[in-house]
Amino acid sequence: MRRSRAASLAAIGAVATLVLAACGGGGGEDGDASEGGIYQDCKANPNTCNAVPAAQMQQGGTLTFAIEKNVPNWNVNSSEGNVFETGMTVKTFLPWTFTTTPDLKQVLNENVLVSADQTSTSPQTIVYKIRPEAVWNDGTPITADDFVFQWKTMNGKDCPECAAAQNAGYNQVESITGSDGGKTVTVVFGTPYADWKNLFASGTPLYPAHLAAQQGDLNTPAGLKAAWDWFGATVPTYSGGPYQVSDWQDNVALTLVPNQKWYGAAKPTLQQLILRVITEASQEPIALQNDEVQVIYPQPQVDLVQQVQNIPGVSQYQGLGLTWEHLDLNLRNEYLADEPLRDAIFAATNVQSIIDSTVGQFNEEVTPLKSHMFVPGIEGYEDYLPPEQGSGDVELARQILTEAGYTNIAEGQQLTRPDGRAVPPLRIRYTVGNAIRQTTVELIQSQVRPLGLNLEIVPTDDLGGTTDSGDYDLIVFAWVQTPASFSNAEQTWNSTSSSNYGEYNNPEVDRLMHEAATSTDLGPARDKLNEAGRILAEDSYVLPLYQKPTIIAAQDEVANARNNSSLDGPTYNIEEWGLRAAG
Amino acid sequence: MLAFAVRRIAVSLPILLISTFIVFMLASLSGNPLSGLLTRNPPPPPETIALEAQRLRLDHPVLERYWMWLTGLFRGDFGPSVQSNLDIGAEVAGRFLITMRLIAVAMILALVLAVVIGVISAVKQYSKTDYAATFLGFLFLAMPAFWLAILLKQAGIDFNNAVDEQIIYTIGDSSVPLPQGFGAQVADIAGHMVLPTISLALISYAAWSRYQRSAMLEVMNTDYVRLARAKGLSRRRVMIKHALRNALIPLTTVTALDLASIISGAVLTETVFQWRGMGDLLLNAIRTDDVYVVMAWLLITATVVIVFNLLADLLYAVLDPRIRYA
């Protein structure tokens, strides 16, 4: 009898624990996450918030940062290795020329370079001066050879089978020569390239050419390819950055220790830096709460943000990034080829209500984006979108259609073109499993319904294949900007570009974008890009929705780690990361 | 017995072959292994995409791809992964051991719990213990596995906070770096195993304890148990020696049949607890349309399920000698 009662009590106790645990969420309401904590001044000072002087930092210790994907290929310049998480990872041990700071400005990496200047505009010539003390961890100087290796492997000509992530810019370089013992690098362009700061920059860092030369003759395509593949497949022991790899457990964690030959001004204070692979974002706050990781950088979602806010001793900050969502129309569709219908769809779409129902749930600062060419924060951003686009003005949309000769413009009817043909249901697509995009397309569907326009929601599990084949009528997805957006714009909107999925074609826009991308004077180049954007907007091809927020969350003992919404991510200043001294 | 085993294997092989064909076709025709490349921003040059398509054999018709895969198996070639550096065979072998460790410990835990609680429930039918066990059993049966795992994690963190020490972990199968010293390493690995094994075990335990309870009740009411009691044997001896032995037979079958669902439970458990086993491999492969990794997963897990069913049949015969002669 006694045993039976004990078992019952145990059962009740177990259930009660589970239920209480479920209700409590673990954190309590005294969490200091959202407003205060170590990120309280990030809004005002995005580049310097959570800055702690070296004297106030603990010497030694281990810090673990969660990354959401494995590193399947160590060559971040290759198409396979060109993944955001790999980019953040290799920034711990590779050198580069320019960095994007949290305020989205491109700045010189002064650890590596003394200067990088455009010394001539015809032919466009850039001279990089590498710091004399900049060396790889085996003592070999970082020189022009490293620049040449990257140029040859990425220009698409010297190594056609290298499968580089991108050729842009590298394919316009005419020559690269080293002087001053290789510490001065002179790059001469065949055709001018406005985005020259993107070359050899944080997105495409330098790899050691002297190790590449051990894999094959770098004057032959085969030798270059062998070196290229070797960098992809080999766990790096080389380093030209503040840390070097001490251990790699595939799919689990990268362990780094300070590079003893690091030449930068800020020396790492940590004894060990660990990048832990956590592929399930929803598990990251729990690991943070249990002190298994100290910094996380997941995609923000309502639940996740709330979860983080409830953890005591953890701070979080959300920034607005370079990734932006948009609604695209496919001009190959004969109905959408008619501009008044496109104008009406964009007028009826209410971007603010889409934001309010999605990302606005956890970030009040997200506002409708008003440009295709730049995002706010980047030099050149102009709010040029016609005010009616994205306004949700159904009456105006009806008026546009009426004036164009459309009939049956009402909910429950089938919108009919001036030539008498009814507009059939159009397919709107989004990536399956993306709850935010699902809500977005559902809202768009309901917002255009009063026009007599029916949208059929068809998710896709192959976004790349869907866009590439143009298998959609309307689609919602995202593009990523870079602070230097000139070639990016051409890549996205040019009538002959493979990324121009909806087959937009306007020779005037092509001309303006090309002039901007080949300009050596950035001021007028930005003006041209905005002019192109205005025409693009008037043609109602793509409706920008909003900049996607990013979130960093860290334990309050973490120093110098801060949000960076660019493709650099928070590891842009990894050498400064550390732990605050106790007390 | 040998003939029986051989016959079972002979039947299993065509099933395995047909299932590989169906899965290969489904995976190949529904997904696009180039999807990851095509969504890169900035996009890779078209030449790069063409090279990748060639490497992944996408320039061959799907039937030919299947044949290449099938014949490649005999040379130990599992086909090309979307990740060019990945050796699928080696990857699967490493991950198989991790998953088996999780499944084995969880199954043992679940079986012990199911037998003990099932027998106690049966022996003390309609007692408070029985009601409590019944309630718990149905609770775990009804609870979504994902939610249960999150609750366990939260309980683990509360436990750590209560004892003010890091004992229970929520991600991975060990810490990085592993602590120094044998004792500390064992404690670390155990601390990582606690939650995933409990999480996986509770789901199976719930159903199995119900089977065990009813099997035990049935056996307890048979003539031979009554006879044994009448002969004056002790209750304890009768229960363990006579009743339990027979009552274990249904559970043996159920356990083997449930293996497939345990493996699918392990996929979820591995995801929630970030174990890099077969489940994680499968999900990642599906996410990236990595057809050949999906195929390797199918081959290995289907083989395990078939082998376990065979073992269950053999064990069944050992537990109940009458079956051998049937």
Side-chain angles (χ1 to χ4, degrees):
Chain A
M1 187 66 204
R2 231 183 64 201
R3 229 170 44 180
S4 155
R5 177 165 296 172
S8 307
L9 284 174
I12 292 164
V15 173
T17 308
L18 291 174
V19 171
L20 286 176
C23 298
E29 283 161 18
D30 55 345
D32 53 358
S34 58
E35 295 298 326
I38 58 176
Y39 292 134
Q40 58 184 334
D41 61 337
C42 278
K43 202 166 159 185
N45 308 305
N47 289 352
T48 54
C49 62
N50 192 28
V52 178
Q56 291 169 26
M57 282 166 66
Q58 184 184 320
Q59 293 299 313
T62 299
L63 191 59
T64 303
F65 173 51
I67 54 172
E68 288 189 14
K69 282 200 180 101
N70 191 30
V71 180
N73 185 307
W74 294 97
N75 187 347
V76 75
N77 295 336
S78 71
S79 61
E80 195 181 327
N82 181 30
V83 178
F84 173 63
E85 285 77 8
T86 303
M88 283 206 295
T89 303
V90 299
K91 272 186 200 70
T92 58
F93 59 82
L94 291 180
W96 62 83
T97 56
F98 282 85
T99 304
T100 307
T101 46
D103 61 356
L104 306 181
K105 304 279 186 295
Q106 260 188 323
V107 301
L108 189 73
N109 182 359
E110 292 178 353
N111 287 325
V112 177
L113 297 176
V114 178
S115 62
D117 298 310
Q118 182 170 288
T119 57
S120 164
T121 53
S122 182
Q124 188 186 20
T125 306
I126 313 295
V127 176
Y128 297 90
K129 289 200 178 295
I130 303 170
R131 282 180 57 175
E133 58 273 39
V135 291
W136 297 99
N137 60 341
D138 59 3
T140 307
I142 295 172
T143 66
D145 291 349
D146 303 318
F147 284 67
V148 171
F149 173 69
Q150 183 168 132
W151 168 52
K152 285 190 171 177
T153 45
M154 295 187 71
N155 64 16
K157 295 171 222 159
D158 289 297
C159 180
E161 291 195 6
C162 276
Q166 55 181 37
N167 301 143
Y170 296 101
N171 55 6
Q172 288 169 244
V173 171
E174 188 74 34
S175 68
I176 297 182
T177 44
S179 55
D180 188 20
K183 287 291 184 182
T184 298
V185 188
T186 305
V187 177
V188 179
F189 286 87
T191 50
Y193 186 60
D195 292 337
W196 63 269
K197 285 183 182 173
N198 282 350
L199 302 184
F200 318 105
S202 50
T204 46
L206 296 166
Y207 281 79
H210 66 287
L211 296 183
Q214 291 174 8
Q215 315 308 320
D217 181 358
L218 299 187
N219 294 312
T220 65
L224 288 167
K225 172 86 164 86
W228 185 257
D229 290 347
W230 183 80
F231 281 124
T234 311
V235 179
T237 52
Y238 50 84
S239 170
Y243 285 93
Q244 65 186 48
V245 175
S246 72
D247 186 42
W248 165 242
Q249 287 174 259
D250 188 33
N251 239 315
V252 176
L254 180 72
T255 306
L256 299 136
V257 293
N259 169 11
Q260 297 305 321
K261 298 271 185 174
W262 168 242
Y263 43 83
K267 308 290 179 202
T269 55
L270 293 169
Q271 190 188 354
Q272 262 181 341
L273 172 73
I274 295 168
L275 305 188
R276 181 111 199 200
V277 183
I278 302 182
T279 50
E280 197 62 33
S282 61
Q283 304 309 318
E284 291 180 46
I286 301 171
L288 184 67
Q289 187 183 354
N290 202 29
D291 201 27
E292 289 165 86
V293 297
Q294 286 77 45
V295 185
I296 63 172
Y297 191 64
Q299 280 276 323
Q301 306 281 350
V302 179
D303 293 351
L304 189 139
V305 172
Q306 284 173 352
Q307 217 177 338
V308 167
Q309 282 172 341
N310 283 331
I311 308 174
V314 162
S315 301
Q316 60 104 359
Y317 179 73
Q318 291 177 45
L320 295 179
L322 291 169
T323 307
W324 57 285
E325 293 275 316
H326 47 86
L327 167 66
D328 286 31
L329 306 183
N330 192 344
L331 307 188
R332 278 176 279 197
N333 179 296
E334 58 174 319
Y335 299 94
L336 291 172
D338 189 36
E339 193 184 322
L341 180 59
R342 302 202 301 270
D343 291 342
I345 291 174
F346 283 2
T349 303
N350 188 335
V351 177
Q352 186 60 53
S353 87
I354 290 172
I355 292 171
D356 292 345
S357 305
T358 56
V359 287
Q361 298 279 318
F362 54 81
N363 190 318
E364 292 171 357
E365 287 171 18
V366 182
T367 52
L369 180 63
K370 301 287 190 179
S371 167
H372 306 77
M373 298 297 174
F374 303 97
V375 295
I378 292 184
E379 205 173 342
Y381 175 78
E382 269 182 38
D383 174 348
Y384 62 64
L385 208 67
E388 68 274 14
Q389 290 196 6
S391 65
D393 190 339
V394 176
E395 279 318 306
L396 178 68
R398 284 197 180 116
Q399 191 185 327
I400 293 169
L401 291 171
T402 308
E403 282 171 9
Y406 281 76
T407 52
N408 290 335
I409 312 166
E411 187 160 354
Q413 297 190 16
Q414 198 173 4
L415 184 66
T416 305
R417 284 166 41 124
D419 62 8
R421 282 189 296 160
V423 180
L426 302 174
R427 291 173 312 144
I428 184 164
R429 310 201 69 176
Y430 73 98
T431 316
V432 68
N434 186 323
I436 286 181
R437 285 192 190 147
Q438 185 180 345
T439 306
T440 303
V441 298
E442 283 168 0
L443 283 169
I444 295 171
Q445 182 190 44
S446 66
Q447 287 164 357
V448 302
R449 195 176 290 136
L451 308 179
L453 183 63
N454 292 313
L455 298 185
E456 186 191 344
I457 296 173
V458 186
T460 171
D461 59 1
D462 175 18
L463 178 65
T466 302
T467 49
D468 198 49
S469 60
D471 185 17
Y472 63 92
D473 298 321
L474 298 88
I475 191 165
V476 172
F477 66 104
W479 284 119
V480 187
Q481 287 266 0
T482 61
S485 317
F486 303 102
S487 55
N488 199 344
E490 257 202 310
Q491 178 67 49
T492 312
W493 312 112
N494 195 292
S495 56
T496 58
S497 167
S498 58
S499 303
N500 179 4
Y501 306 122
E503 295 196 348
Y504 175 71
N505 186 347
N506 188 321
E508 180 67 1
V509 172
D510 285 357
R511 181 184 66 78
L512 286 164
M513 287 192 304
H514 186 66
E515 282 176 13
T518 54
S519 173
T520 52
D521 190 354
L522 296 189
R526 289 188 188 101
D527 293 341
K528 283 188 172 142
L529 218 50
N530 277 320
E531 204 180 327
R534 260 188 289 274
I535 300 170
L536 182 70
E538 280 161 17
D539 287 340
S540 299
Y541 167 50
V542 163
L543 178 65
L545 299 175
Y546 55 83
Q547 279 172 280
K548 286 172 85 165
T550 59
I551 184 174
I552 189 168
Q555 294 189 347
D556 288 346
E557 59 178 350
V558 174
N560 292 323
R562 61 184 72 94
N563 185 63
N564 183 329
S565 301
S566 75
L567 280 178
D568 279 20
T571 58
Y572 82 103
N573 67 333
I574 196 73
E575 69 275 15
E576 294 173 359
W577 284 30
L579 299 165
R580 290 162 190 259
Chain B
M1 182 67 86
L2 184 67
F4 171 70
V6 169
R7 203 163 57 235
R8 283 293 315 272
I9 293 172
V11 171
S12 303
L13 281 178
I15 294 174
L16 191 61
L17 191 68
I18 292 166
S19 60
T20 62
F21 180 77
I22 293 171
V23 172
F24 190 94
M25 290 301 144
L26 284 175
S28 299
L29 298 175
S30 65
N32 179 4
L34 298 175
S35 192
L37 263 192
L38 292 169
T39 45
R40 292 277 156 77
N41 203 346
E47 300 79 25
T48 299
I49 292 168
L51 278 171
E52 189 63 6
Q54 201 179 358
R55 188 180 70 77
L56 293 170
R57 303 176 183 168
L58 297 175
D59 49 347
H60 295 271
V62 67
L63 279 174
E64 201 177 317
R65 267 182 269 158
Y66 176 72
W67 182 247
M68 287 160 88
W69 172 77
L70 197 63
T71 48
L73 287 180
F74 295 100
R75 299 188 305 271
D77 174 14
F78 284 82
S81 164
V82 165
Q83 293 179 33
S84 61
N85 292 329
L86 190 80
D87 175 349
I88 296 179
E91 184 75 14
V92 166
R95 285 169 174 265
F96 181 70
L97 293 176
I98 294 171
T99 298
M100 278 301 123
R101 182 168 61 133
L102 176 64
I103 287 181
V105 178
M107 277 180 80
I108 290 168
L109 185 65
L111 275 173
V112 169
L113 276 175
V115 170
V116 170
I117 294 179
V119 168
I120 291 174
S121 280
V123 172
K124 294 181 177 291
Q125 194 183 11
Y126 304 133
S127 69
K128 283 182 183 167
T129 314
D130 184 25
Y131 286 131
T134 302
F135 174 72
L136 271 184
F138 282 116
L139 182 75
F140 291 130
L141 266 181
M143 202 180 270
F146 188 79
W147 195 55
L148 176 64
I150 298 289
L151 287 184
L152 283 172
K153 281 193 174 197
Q154 208 57 63
I157 293 174
D158 291 345
F159 177 80
N160 286 342
N161 290 339
V163 299
D164 201 20
E165 208 171 329
Q166 184 80 308
I167 292 175
I168 310 260
Y169 296 85
T170 66
I171 49 163
D173 60 5
S174 60
S175 290
V176 179
L178 206 58
Q180 298 288 314
F182 181 72
Q185 289 180 0
V186 170
D188 183 83
I189 291 170
H192 282 83
M193 283 197 83
V194 172
L195 299 182
T197 44
I198 292 179
S199 171
L200 189 57
L202 282 183
I203 299 162
S204 306
Y205 140 79
W208 294 352
S209 69
R210 306 309 301 161
Y211 278 110
Q212 187 59 35
R213 180 180 178 275
S214 65
M216 195 70 186
L217 281 173
E218 201 176 306
V219 173
M220 276 160 59
N221 288 325
T222 54
D223 290 344
Y224 69 87
V225 168
R226 281 205 210 99
L227 179 67
R229 288 283 288 154
K231 277 175 160 175
L233 290 176
S234 75
R235 183 181 164 86
R236 187 186 172 84
R237 192 175 161 83
V238 170
M239 286 303 152
I240 293 173
K241 187 97 179 154
H242 295 265
L244 182 59
R245 181 179 169 132
N246 281 299
L248 280 176
I249 295 172
L251 188 62
T252 312
T253 317
V254 170
T255 308
L257 289 177
D258 270 4
L259 187 69
S261 69
I262 295 174
I263 290 173
S264 62
V267 171
L268 193 113
T269 310
E270 285 179 8
T271 308
V272 176
F273 293 98
Q274 292 288 295
W275 278 42
R276 303 302 177 199
M278 296 288 282
D280 177 74
L281 182 74
L282 175 70
L283 284 187
N284 198 35
I286 292 172
R287 219 174 276 148
T288 53
D289 295 306
D290 211 341
V291 175
Y292 298 97
V293 173
V294 172
M295 294 310 296
W297 188 92
L298 173 84
L299 258 189
I300 303 295
T301 46
T303 307
V304 168
V305 170
I306 287 169
V307 167
F308 264 70
N309 276 290
L310 186 67
L311 284 177
D313 281 346
L314 299 180
L315 195 62
Y316 204 73
V318 172
L319 287 171
D320 188 352
R322 287 170 299 177
I323 290 169
R324 268 178 249 170
Y325 307 108

